[in-house]
Amino acid sequence: MIHRRTLIALAASATLLAAAPTHAQSDWKPVRPVKLLVGFAPGGSADTLARLIAEPLSQKLGQPVVVDNVPGAGGNIMAGRLATSAADGYTLGIGAAGSMAITFELNPKATPYKPESFTPVTMLATQPNVVIVNMSVPANNIGELKDYIARTPSASYGIAGIGISNHLIAEAMLARMGVKMAAVPYKGAAPVITDLLGGHIAMTMDNITTAAQLAKEGKVKALGVTTAKRAPQLPDVPTLQEQGLAGFDMPTWQGLFLPAGTPAPVVAAYYAAMQDILKSASTREKMAHLGSQPVVGMKPAQFTAYLEADRKQWAATIKAARIEPQ
């Protein structure tokens, strides 16, 4: 997972840069309300993050930042709208791996936009994912899970859609473990959890917020965290790296994007505003409640490089798992 190590290095070096007052300044200010597109319905984690940053961003810009929900196709409908919006600074969007990296490898013919359709501004946050299993599964760590899968060919795991990041992270993990497990697609995360609790599937890969709550309630067993460091919400659950999968560091991430061709002063204005927001104690506290870790100081060029490496990693995972283009 070379590019995940790159993310750590970029974030570390960028944080040092952000500690000094050297980030780009811009005289650009909007003169009317700004629209912030989010590719999921109100109430979800992406929507919550968008509203979390919209208020302080409004204060920084001196104009309202209005969250506009454009749900559908795992964020791709939102990305398509952003790609065709005017490059004047009045429409921006929150993108994630699904709409800004995976789709180009999994749905190349069905995706109406390209990586070049956007101007990456900065990464906003990352979240760990957690391997959780039904309480009846005789495994309390990744090694025991590997043995269980190897001797139980009927075992399966649930996914909230083919090709979403959690699906591919799970496939990357299974490949590193040297075992195969059937993926059962559902029409959302809720039915996955229902069937996991009911024992119809053995495992899923879920976000830290849901996984931690279920584990603390004793409804599932949390076996491993997908990031390089343990999650504060589950301090006793070791990472996959600690359990023998060296270098495994695959978080979920969100970033801020503008349409391609947006003038440099506009990009600089949003970058500078977001660094102040991401460094604030209030934002960090609110993100912690979402299970998110702010990424401070990732400049547009660094974010662009990360995205290029991210797409290559997903392409390799898709090929190795033999996931057919959708």
Side-chain angles (χ1 to χ4, degrees):
M1 312 296 172
I2 297 175
H3 77 288
R4 304 295 171 182
R5 296 174 182 171
T6 301
L7 169 59
I8 297 172
L10 287 173
S13 61
T15 300
L16 292 175
L17 291 172
T22 57
H23 56 59
Q25 300 295 322
S26 171
D27 294 330
W28 182 84
K29 288 282 187 180
V31 296
R32 63 178 189 272
V34 171
K35 188 178 294 185
L36 176 59
L37 306 181
V38 58
F40 297 89
S45 58
D47 175 73
T48 302
L49 177 62
R51 296 179 190 280
L52 187 157
I53 68 170
E55 181 180 354
L57 188 57
S58 296
Q59 297 172 357
K60 293 287 182 183
L61 298 176
Q63 290 289 336
V65 175
V66 181
V67 175
D68 187 1
N69 296 92
V70 189
N76 285 24
I77 295 177
M78 178 282 296
R81 181 176 298 184
L82 180 63
T84 57
S85 296
D88 56 8
Y90 289 93
T91 305
L92 59 159
I94 293 180
S99 59
M100 295 296 179
I102 294 173
T103 189
F104 303 118
E105 308 303 330
L106 191 65
N107 307 297
K109 295 181 180 179
T111 303
Y113 54 88
K114 304 296 180 186
E116 299 78 22
S117 301
F118 308 99
T119 298
V121 178
T122 191
M123 186 176 285
L124 299 173
T126 63
Q127 301 83 31
N129 293 284
V130 185
V131 182
I132 55 176
V133 298
N134 178 274
M135 293 297 292
S136 66
V137 172
N140 295 297
N141 55 55
I142 295 300
E144 292 177 357
L145 177 63
K146 175 182 177 180
D147 294 340
Y148 167 75
I149 296 171
R151 68 173 184 268
T152 315
S154 62
S156 61
Y157 75 97
I159 54 176
I162 295 174
I164 66 170
S165 59
N166 284 8
H167 176 199
L168 299 185
I169 293 171
E171 286 294 336
M173 177 192 74
L174 292 168
R176 291 288 302 279
M177 291 164 63
V179 293
K180 294 184 180 297
M181 195 179 195
V184 180
Y186 291 78
K187 293 184 178 180
V192 173
I193 296 301
T194 297
D195 271 11
L196 179 69
L197 299 182
H200 301 293
I201 54 175
M203 182 191 86
T204 191
M205 184 82 71
D206 210 338
N207 67 76
I208 183 64
T209 304
T210 300
Q213 185 64 35
L214 291 171
K216 289 175 181 178
E217 293 174 355
K219 295 180 178 179
V220 301
K221 290 188 282 187
L223 304 189
V225 177
T226 67
T227 43
K229 295 182 179 180
R230 295 192 183 194
Q233 297 88 341
L234 291 171
D236 296 328
V237 177
T239 67
L240 298 184
Q241 287 193 24
E242 291 178 89
Q243 299 182 73
L245 302 188
F248 199 104
D249 183 20
M250 299 188 79
T252 298
W253 58 263
Q254 294 84 32
L256 190 66
F257 294 82
L258 287 160
T262 301
V266 177
V267 179
Y270 279 114
Y271 174 80
M274 283 311 310
Q275 298 320 300
D276 289 341
I277 293 168
L278 292 170
K279 287 187 290 184
S280 74
S282 175
T283 298
R284 299 180 77 86
E285 181 179 356
K286 291 175 182 177
M287 282 191 173
H289 287 299
L290 296 177
S292 297
Q293 176 65 43
V295 177
V296 179
M298 185 177 285
K299 295 181 179 180
Q302 293 173 312
F303 191 22
T304 299
Y306 175 83
L307 289 166
E308 292 175 356
D310 204 40
R311 288 190 288 271
K312 292 178 181 178
Q313 176 63 51
W314 294 125
T317 300
I318 290 167
K319 182 177 180 181
R322 297 182 180 179
I323 301 171
E324 294 296 324
Q326 302 297 302

